[in-house]
Amino acid sequence: MEPSLRRRQGVPPGPPPAAVHVPESDAKRAVPSAARARSWLVPLVLFVLALAVRVYQLASPAEVVFDEVHFGKFAAFYVTGRYFFDVHPPLAKLIVALGAWLAGFDGSFEFETIGDKYAGTTVPFREMRAFIAVIGALQIPLVYEIMRETGARLSTGVLCALLVMLDNAHVAQTRLILLDAPLILFMLLSLYCYIKFFQQRYRDFSARWWAWLAATGLCLALTVSCKLIGVFAFMTVGGAVVWDLWNLLDIRRGLPMRRFAKHFCARALFLILMPLFVYLFWFWVHFAILTRSGSGDSFMSAEFQQTLVGNEMLEQSIELHAFDAITLKHRGTNAYLHSHPERYPHKYDDGRISSDGQQVTGYPYEDENNFWRIVPVGPVNDDDGFFNVTRRRIYHKQHIRLLHESTNSYLLSHDVAAPLMPTNEEITTLPADQLEADEEAARNALWELHILNGVEGETTWSSRRSWIRLIHVPTRVAVWTYPGSELPEWGFRQQEVNGNKNALDKTATWVVDEVRPDPRSPMYSVRSRPPPPRPLQTLPFLDKFAELQASMLEQNNRLTQTHPYSSRPIMWPFLLQGVSYWSTDNERRQIFFIGNPATWWGGIVAISVFAMLFLTDLLLRRRGIFQIPHAVRERSLRTTGFFAYAWACHYLPFFLMGRQLFLHHYLPAHICAVLVLGGMLDFFTSYSVDFPLNAGGPSLTPDRMRGRTAREHSTIHIVLVALAAAGTAAVFVYLAPLTYGHVSLDPAGVNARKILSAWQLHYAK
């Protein structure tokens, strides 16, 4: 940039502070033809090699592997248009479905369980895996380009690309029908586009400046549209943008506030508003494709479900009347409200005393003991005894009783502690003959019906389509059950049902599954016949989006179950635990998801060295000791420091999560660690530490200032690059049987590859 132009824009001499420093890519000097050829030939070669590594043995195993059971199934649902639910946004799943559709998949194979055979089916699993492998291979030249755009040597860029290309975890994750390949590709594109945008910082508001800003926002939106953890890419770029704006605000730059406001609005438009619309667009596509009823119906509201073709609410829902017999199914666990003659034990193991009442439980199967008859509190016929349909309807907030048909007892709650959760009330029953004799007991058998989104006096209760809460009138607790609430042997291992004191708990909702109309009703013959289909309902897109987004977040927070291969973030950089993806006993083959220790341990060492080096330098500078030249320090902070910040954004937030986590969640952070490793390699092979006898300590000096020849300098760097590449390749090949699952290993071979004793490999001694 010309000095006169820098003065006109109010930029002080020297490189301006910013999140990342990059050399000008559009320099006016002519680029040699060899360099131009290299600019496309190297990325092309890297892509071809990466693709070869990923498609090797692609047809093996010819079985469903790990989470292919989910994401392959979702592709089948997209192809057939059946609605499903998942905690992730739709883009990555749409990409998987696109590959399946292009390969001619008809959606008939539904990936039911891990280990299901592909042989003898029409599912094009090789093509589906190959589609993901191409996306994974595109990451490799992108890693190279990111390093080159930040000023790294060609050999350093190639090394970083090789470290990702030959990482066993990345290879395993990008050659199966999984979602991480699109996520990481868009994350890397976000970093690349932001770097290219920052290169235009002296040409603000030029066409290229706008183009790269828009591309950054688009790639960020695509990242978060794959998985919600894509928000970490927003944190990375967002932090850099905030720092850049903070520096632009500096009065010493002489930037008028009107021009600063233009900078701020441009970033807000393309990095916040535009990504929001892109994110919304993929949900619109999701809803446009999934128009038929499917497995995800139960996660959505009745209003939502009635927008789907073939939904039970449209085809089988009937209005409920007094004295109908019904079964109630819990929304979260699909357990039926159930009772049987057996009673709660008089005394629990912890010494508490029960009511000795009849057990009320959650039972997962259809059974005669699931039927309850709706008993009205007041009369339902006219004074002359004439049947009155209007008075027999059940309305929102109406008081009712539920009579258990097989034991002739009424559902009841009272101030007695529940068996497994003493803070909640016990749910039991009251014999019908005691109801008339005991006024207080009769009151304890009184329930208030709450229909979700109902209007008092207007909304009527219907089967299949009305989600309801049963709230106990005297104590205001809601009938509730929950996952993992298994009763002891005395309760036949059925789920506990208790009175939840948080009556508005979203999980305390039930739906009527089966109805037996009252045979005494004059309308019995009419109501016993299948109801006519209801017309499809409509729901505004934003209402559907908001409901699905809330359900995604809610279900994601509930993923707290234990898993034998789940792990905590502190274990990931050190590869203390992997994940068994697939195994076969007869051939003793297995796929074990684990990273290449050479790249994972090297990455965390590089981050540690970077942090210690620059924290030490910061402390020394406070004492007036400047060991690292200012230009060197600024450039390293704006390049390697940016990658270290990206690593922190993609890793540290996992420590705040209580949900189930696995090693593959570290993959985006691992790539950032590899970029830091490349930056530190360039740093230490460009500068050396001098220990002059008459100085106060060592100093970091450019090699060219110390008189080191270019040949010596290049030799050291190339030797280190070659050693790192060779070591990574050797470890990759050694662990390849665990990555591809193509080789049978005897116990000795398995144990030999068990680099850490914590690795839970199959078929070890």
Side-chain angles (χ1 to χ4, degrees), residues 122-136:
T122 59
V123 57
F125 73 98
R126 299 176 189 83
E127 292 82 357
M128 293 172 69
R129 288 176 177 175
F131 193 72
I132 299 299
V134 171
I135 296 174

Side-chain angles (χ1 to χ4, degrees), residues 100-152:
W101 179 76
L102 291 174
F105 183 39
D106 60 5
S108 59
F109 185 86
E110 294 195 356
F111 302 83
E112 290 294 340
T113 57
I114 297 174
D116 281 355
K117 306 290 185 183
Y118 290 132
T121 69
T122 59
V123 57
F125 73 98
R126 299 176 189 83
E127 292 82 357
M128 293 172 69
R129 288 176 177 175
F131 193 72
I132 299 299
V134 171
I135 296 174
L138 288 172
Q139 300 168 11
I140 307 309
L142 195 52
V143 169
Y144 167 81
E145 290 293 339
I146 288 173
M147 291 303 297
R148 292 292 285 158
E149 291 295 335
T150 53

Side-chain angles (χ1 to χ4, degrees), residues 242-272:
V242 169
W243 182 252
D244 189 29
L245 287 173
W246 177 253
N247 286 307
L248 288 174
L249 191 60
D250 191 342
I251 194 172
R252 291 173 295 180
R253 298 181 71 95
L255 192 70
M257 283 303 298
R258 179 173 295 180
R259 194 169 184 85
F260 173 81
K262 189 176 180 181
H263 274 276
F264 179 87
C265 292
R267 288 162 172 80
L269 174 64
F270 284 100
L271 300 181
I272 299 177

